[in-house]
Amino acid sequence: MTDLLDPALHASGEIMEVFRTLRASSPVAWCVGRRGPGYWAITGHPELVEAARDVETFSSFWGTRPEVVRPEGSARPLHNLDPPEHGALRAVAARAVTTAAIDALGRQIDAIVTETVERLIHLGGGDVVTDIAEPIVMRVFAAWIGMAPEVAPALLGCVTAVHSAGAALLDLAKDDPRRPERVAVARRATEAMAALVQRTLDAAPAGSAFAQLHALSPMEAVRLGALFVEAGMPTLIDALGSGVVDLIEHPLVRIDEDLPSAIEELLRRASPIAQFARLATRRIVLAGETIEAGDQIVLWFASANRDERVFPDPDAFVLRRTPNPHVAFGVGPHRCIGAALGRRVLRSFFAAWPADRVRAAGPFERRASSYLHGYARAPIALRPVD
């Protein structure tokens, strides 16, 4: 069985062919573990949707990382809670992304996008990740959570460090001698993130997303605030970057003909979060396979979004794909709470993006990650206006 968690497999893009084979033969398949006893890979769309919606059977309480089970007494952020605790905290989080809150942020989003795109046009090109996606996301998140813009690079640095430390830790066996050092690095990254989130919470102005968290206990507010940025920043960066690359590779697609539909198709194809794990609380049969209580499942969103049974010609960019029930934001009670904000940024960006003037200026390099699905490097050049 191929190691679906191998970062190199995701960096090369070969994982998509592996997913295709699994969907055709075993959309629910047992995988031998890298660090633990193994897990069930859910690669089919109908099977994933069924499992993700059944939060009584498939619990998030024990963690969402493959082959990791959280200790029972550890503190849990929103995505590691089950009902009814999950619903109560999610209701507080939802106050930060109401329609009114996003509408109020709209002009700032448009201004940030316009300034960033115009700067890149003036320079004649740059890197999609470092010169477009990251600057836009840093500034948008600073405006949204109530952070001074000049602090935003430090925030992204903390987010990157947390993800990097976590990924490095997952690559090691439990008895690996390097593990204590990696644990210490991960702990320091998490503590630095918490400290920055706490300072931002303390100074958050009225009306900002972080101001909505003041009703929580200090510990709950920090955990939820950290989740906002840890989950939201890298995924939006990857959605923007993947979208730009996708349009370069599909030059005949005219997204201005139907921008809302184009955004959904870009999201389906990007799948910024590749997977999340759950733990079975009881025996259940899914797609003919018996999953036992205590077994871990891994929901492969990046695969489900290419399921041929749901998306005809899934590798094609279909501008007006209808229906398009993609799971790029997840599905069920744990669906991404910031989906509306993400769509608003993407809509603003791709409405302003001069896609017909953009070309590749070097090889595109994917992230070496089985969790974050996007690009690490994507150099581009812009053709001058005739």
Side-chain angles (χ1 to χ4, degrees):
M1 178 68 181
T2 302
D3 180 6
L4 302 183
L5 298 174
D6 182 2
L9 197 61
H10 292 262
S12 69
E14 296 174 7
I15 188 67
M16 288 304 179
E17 187 57 38
V18 177
F19 285 151
R20 190 192 320 277
T21 301
L22 279 174
R23 290 194 302 268
S25 60
S26 307
V28 177
W30 180 256
C31 294
V32 176
R34 308 181 85 199
R35 304 172 59 253
Y39 60 89
W40 292 96
I42 316 296
T43 56
H45 186 282
E47 296 80 11
L48 182 146
V49 169
E50 180 180 344
R53 286 176 172 166
D54 187 357
V55 293
E56 292 186 3
T57 301
F58 297 110
S59 170
S60 297
F61 183 82
W62 301 102
T64 55
R65 290 183 175 182
E67 300 194 285
V68 174
V69 177
R70 295 179 67 101
E72 185 169 4
S74 64
R76 280 169 167 74
L78 178 63
H79 62 296
N80 286 150
L81 293 175
D82 292 329
E85 293 81 7
H86 174 264
L89 186 57
R90 186 179 176 91
V92 175
R95 298 172 193 164
V97 284
T98 61
T99 301
I102 294 173
D103 287 347
L105 200 62
R107 289 186 178 179
Q108 292 184 72
I109 292 173
D110 293 341
I112 290 167
V113 164
T114 298
E115 290 172 17
T116 306
V117 171
E118 288 182 348
R119 179 178 180 276
L120 196 79
I121 291 172
H122 175 73
L123 294 174
D127 187 86
V128 171
V129 179
T130 57
D131 297 319
I132 302 173
E134 288 182 352
I136 288 174
V137 172
M138 283 191 292
R139 293 178 63 188
V140 166
F141 266 72
W144 178 51
I145 67 177
M147 169 181 277
E150 59 270 19
V151 184
L155 179 65
L156 181 58
C158 283
V159 169
T160 301
V162 167
H163 282 289
S164 296
L169 190 57
L170 289 177
D171 284 339
L172 300 182
K174 292 182 178 180
D175 58 353
D176 192 297
R178 295 170 294 175
R179 188 168 178 78
E181 179 185 352
R182 294 276 180 87
V183 169
V185 170
R187 183 179 295 114
R188 288 195 296 271
T190 301
E191 290 172 350
M193 165 65 75
L196 183 53
V197 167
Q198 182 65 72
R199 292 197 297 273
T200 306
L201 281 164
D202 292 342
S208 66
F210 271 17
Q212 304 300 321
L213 309 185
H214 288 162
L216 300 171
S217 70
M219 184 177 295
E220 286 179 321
V222 169
R223 283 203 297 267
L224 189 53
L227 179 63
F228 280 179
V229 295
E230 285 180 34
M233 293 184 80
T235 52
L236 186 50
I237 287 168
D238 284 346
L240 284 165
S242 295
V244 170
V245 170
D246 216 0
L247 293 180
I248 291 172
E249 294 179 344
H250 295 83
L252 299 181
V253 174
R254 295 296 304 272
I255 63 171
D256 56 321
E257 294 177 359
D258 192 339
L259 186 58
S261 292
I263 296 300
E264 298 311 307
E265 184 71 341
L266 288 168
L267 283 165
R268 178 188 74 85
R269 295 169 58 80
S271 296
I273 292 289
Q275 45 81 0
F276 263 127
R278 302 281 189 269
L279 201 72
T281 61
R282 64 181 180 90
R283 174 183 289 187
I284 187 173
V285 176
L286 183 64
E289 300 289 351
T290 301
I291 299 174
E292 300 287 352
D295 285 353
Q296 191 179 58
I297 67 169
V298 176
L299 305 170
W300 285 101
F301 303 107
S303 174
N305 277 336
R306 301 287 177 120
D307 194 329
E308 297 81 354
R309 296 171 294 170
V310 178
F311 306 100
D313 199 3
D315 293 332
F317 193 120
V318 180
L319 180 59
R320 295 184 177 88
R321 186 180 289 277
T322 305
N324 191 352
H326 68 75
V327 289
F329 289 118
V331 63
H334 285 280
R335 186 175 182 275
C336 175
I337 204 164
L341 176 61
R343 282 191 171 99
R344 179 64 178 81
V345 175
L346 292 172
R347 188 169 69 247
S348 178
F349 176 79
F350 286 107
W353 184 240
D356 58 342
R357 295 173 51 195
V358 182
R359 62 174 178 82
F364 297 153
E365 181 182 322
R366 289 188 171 275
R367 285 187 188 269
S369 171
S370 66
Y371 174 61
L372 295 174
H373 189 225
Y375 288 86
R377 180 177 180 272
I380 60 170
L382 277 78
R383 177 178 55 79
V385 177
D386 296 332

